[in-house]
mmCIF file of all heavy atoms in Angstrom:
data_model
loop_
_atom_site.group_PDB
_atom_site.id
_atom_site.type_symbol
_atom_site.label_atom_id
_atom_site.label_comp_id
_atom_site.label_asym_id
_atom_site.label_seq_id
_atom_site.Cartn_x
_atom_site.Cartn_y
_atom_site.Cartn_z
ATOM 1 N N ALA A 187 -3.825 25.134 -7.954
ATOM 2 C CA ALA A 187 -4.169 25.638 -9.269
ATOM 3 C C ALA A 187 -4.886 26.984 -9.220
ATOM 4 O O ALA A 187 -4.609 27.837 -9.980
ATOM 5 C CB ALA A 187 -5.071 24.592 -9.964
ATOM 6 N N LEU A 188 -5.810 27.198 -8.188
ATOM 7 C CA LEU A 188 -6.506 28.356 -8.022
ATOM 8 C C LEU A 188 -5.560 29.479 -7.668
ATOM 9 O O LEU A 188 -5.620 30.584 -8.235
ATOM 10 C CB LEU A 188 -7.553 28.211 -6.958
ATOM 11 C CG LEU A 188 -8.429 29.455 -6.640
ATOM 12 C CD1 LEU A 188 -9.333 29.759 -7.874
ATOM 13 C CD2 LEU A 188 -9.310 29.247 -5.418
ATOM 14 N N ALA A 189 -4.601 29.179 -6.790
ATOM 15 C CA ALA A 189 -3.599 30.223 -6.382
ATOM 16 C C ALA A 189 -2.800 30.619 -7.570
ATOM 17 O O ALA A 189 -2.493 31.795 -7.834
ATOM 18 C CB ALA A 189 -2.758 29.690 -5.285
ATOM 19 N N ALA A 190 -2.486 29.586 -8.352
ATOM 20 C CA ALA A 190 -1.611 29.945 -9.543
ATOM 21 C C ALA A 190 -2.344 30.815 -10.510
ATOM 22 O O ALA A 190 -1.876 31.830 -11.098
ATOM 23 C CB ALA A 190 -1.215 28.659 -10.233
ATOM 24 N N ASP A 191 -3.676 30.459 -10.698
ATOM 25 C CA ASP A 191 -4.564 31.283 -11.558
ATOM 26 C C ASP A 191 -4.648 32.730 -11.151
ATOM 27 O O ASP A 191 -4.473 33.641 -11.915
ATOM 28 C CB ASP A 191 -5.966 30.729 -11.516
ATOM 29 C CG ASP A 191 -6.295 29.835 -12.659
ATOM 30 O OD1 ASP A 191 -5.315 29.537 -13.461
ATOM 31 O OD2 ASP A 191 -7.430 29.499 -12.806
ATOM 32 N N LEU A 192 -4.891 32.888 -9.884
ATOM 33 C CA LEU A 192 -5.005 34.259 -9.323
ATOM 34 C C LEU A 192 -3.676 34.994 -9.458
ATOM 35 O O LEU A 192 -3.692 36.201 -9.781
ATOM 36 C CB LEU A 192 -5.442 34.245 -7.798
ATOM 37 C CG LEU A 192 -6.903 33.804 -7.658
ATOM 38 C CD1 LEU A 192 -7.189 33.749 -6.161
ATOM 39 C CD2 LEU A 192 -7.800 34.824 -8.338
ATOM 40 N N GLY A 193 -2.563 34.307 -9.191
ATOM 41 C CA GLY A 193 -1.277 34.945 -9.277
ATOM 42 C C GLY A 193 -0.944 35.401 -10.714
ATOM 43 O O GLY A 193 -0.253 36.298 -10.979
ATOM 44 N N ALA A 194 -1.581 34.564 -11.698
ATOM 45 C CA ALA A 194 -1.201 34.894 -13.106
ATOM 46 C C ALA A 194 -1.961 36.109 -13.678
ATOM 47 O O ALA A 194 -1.595 36.563 -14.755
ATOM 48 C CB ALA A 194 -1.519 33.624 -13.916
ATOM 49 N N THR A 195 -2.935 36.636 -12.965
ATOM 50 C CA THR A 195 -3.688 37.787 -13.493
ATOM 51 C C THR A 195 -3.497 38.873 -12.449
ATOM 52 O O THR A 195 -3.039 38.702 -11.330
ATOM 53 C CB THR A 195 -5.156 37.496 -13.673
ATOM 54 O OG1 THR A 195 -5.723 37.453 -12.281
ATOM 55 C CG2 THR A 195 -5.383 36.120 -14.345
ATOM 56 N N ASP A 196 -4.024 40.097 -12.843
ATOM 57 C CA ASP A 196 -3.931 41.164 -11.825
ATOM 58 C C ASP A 196 -5.319 41.306 -11.176
ATOM 59 O O ASP A 196 -5.694 42.342 -10.632
ATOM 60 C CB ASP A 196 -3.490 42.491 -12.486
ATOM 61 C CG ASP A 196 -4.435 42.940 -13.668
ATOM 62 O OD1 ASP A 196 -5.351 42.114 -13.921
ATOM 63 O OD2 ASP A 196 -4.086 43.879 -14.298
ATOM 64 N N PHE A 197 -6.178 40.248 -11.303
ATOM 65 C CA PHE A 197 -7.523 40.322 -10.754
ATOM 66 C C PHE A 197 -7.456 40.268 -9.186
ATOM 67 O O PHE A 197 -6.784 39.360 -8.658
ATOM 68 C CB PHE A 197 -8.322 39.101 -11.252
ATOM 69 C CG PHE A 197 -9.705 39.049 -10.693
ATOM 70 C CD1 PHE A 197 -10.632 39.969 -11.046
ATOM 71 C CD2 PHE A 197 -10.021 38.060 -9.742
ATOM 72 C CE1 PHE A 197 -11.945 39.963 -10.473
ATOM 73 C CE2 PHE A 197 -11.323 38.125 -9.148
ATOM 74 C CZ PHE A 197 -12.234 38.969 -9.564
ATOM 75 N N ASP A 198 -8.014 41.304 -8.727
ATOM 76 C CA ASP A 198 -8.079 41.333 -7.156
ATOM 77 C C ASP A 198 -9.561 41.321 -6.728
ATOM 78 O O ASP A 198 -10.263 42.285 -6.903
ATOM 79 C CB ASP A 198 -7.388 42.644 -6.727
ATOM 80 C CG ASP A 198 -7.582 42.857 -5.260
ATOM 81 O OD1 ASP A 198 -8.186 42.004 -4.592
ATOM 82 O OD2 ASP A 198 -7.136 43.874 -4.714
#
Side-chain angles (χ1 to χ4, degrees):
L188 181 65
D191 260 8
L192 288 178
T195 73
D196 57 2
F197 177 71
D198 173 2

